[in-house]
Amino acid sequence: MATPPSSDLILLVHQGIDADALVHHVRTGADGAIVTFDGCVRNQSHGRRTLYLDYEAYESMALAKMGEIAAEVHTKFPIDRVAIAHRLGRLEIGETSVFIAVSAPHRAAAFEACRYAIDTLKRSVPIWKKEYFEDGAVWADGELPPVPQDTQARKSAS
């Protein structure tokens, strides 16, 4: 299992994510670009009004997988530093749930590495999201939307 360089920062937090501190952490004099991804809680999901989210994780495994992602980013792209932070617990609308910062000498590598990091995190890190709506709550399954009720009814009738 690859480990990220000690200059990287990998965090699971139960309070707000300090995006400025993560950007500051990855910034070096050798870098010409810092690219960030700020995943935040939106007020709707799949046509329903979202009240809030709750994130849970298998914390030790999540941290290990996030570290593996950072190590992979270093092998795949000519970057300098990576910071990845994911929030756990209850999050309100507008709060940051995940933040990634990547520094590199050139912007193309920073953009590609940041995109790779968030896409891989969403697919492979054991963090689960429960979405709360006015009419109930559901555990989200990655990026896949739930099947609309009218589609389920049609399938049952056939």
Side-chain angles (χ1 to χ4, degrees):
M1 167 169 49
T3 58
S6 61
S7 58
D8 290 346
L9 187 60
I10 308 299
L11 302 168
L12 287 175
V13 298
H14 294 271
Q15 301 298 319
I17 293 173
D18 185 347
D20 290 339
L22 296 177
V23 169
H24 179 74
H25 180 83
V26 301
R27 184 182 301 274
T28 74
D31 297 318
I34 295 173
V35 172
T36 64
F37 174 81
D38 185 344
C40 49
V41 179
R42 61 182 175 267
N43 64 3
Q44 56 75 36
S45 180
H46 315 299
R48 298 192 318 195
R49 185 171 161 257
T50 303
L51 302 176
Y52 62 93
L53 302 179
D54 191 20
Y55 283 93
E56 293 183 12
Y58 178 178
E59 292 189 36
S60 60
M61 183 178 274
L63 285 167
K65 293 298 282 180
M66 290 163 67
E68 287 176 19
I69 292 167
E72 286 176 32
V73 167
H74 282 280
T75 63
K76 292 181 179 294
F77 307 98
I79 61 145
D80 192 11
R81 292 184 177 180
V82 178
I84 303 173
H86 204 297
R87 177 98 180 263
L88 300 177
R90 181 176 168 149
L91 280 78
E92 302 298 330
I93 305 305
E95 289 188 289
T96 296
S97 58
V98 59
F99 192 88
I100 299 173
V102 177
S103 64
H106 303 284
R107 70 179 175 270
F111 274 109
E112 291 169 10
C114 194
R115 174 72 183 251
Y116 177 86
I118 187 58
D119 289 349
T120 305
L121 183 147
K122 294 290 283 180
R123 272 193 322 274
S124 64
V125 177
I127 297 175
W128 304 280
K129 173 175 69 174
K130 192 169 191 178
E131 297 177 294
Y132 289 83
F133 305 101
E134 292 172 326
D135 60 345
V138 296
W139 286 100
D141 184 23
E143 297 294 318
L144 300 174
V147 176
Q149 293 299 322
D150 61 337
T151 304
Q152 286 178 341
R154 283 193 300 257
K155 284 183 180 177
S156 298
S158 46

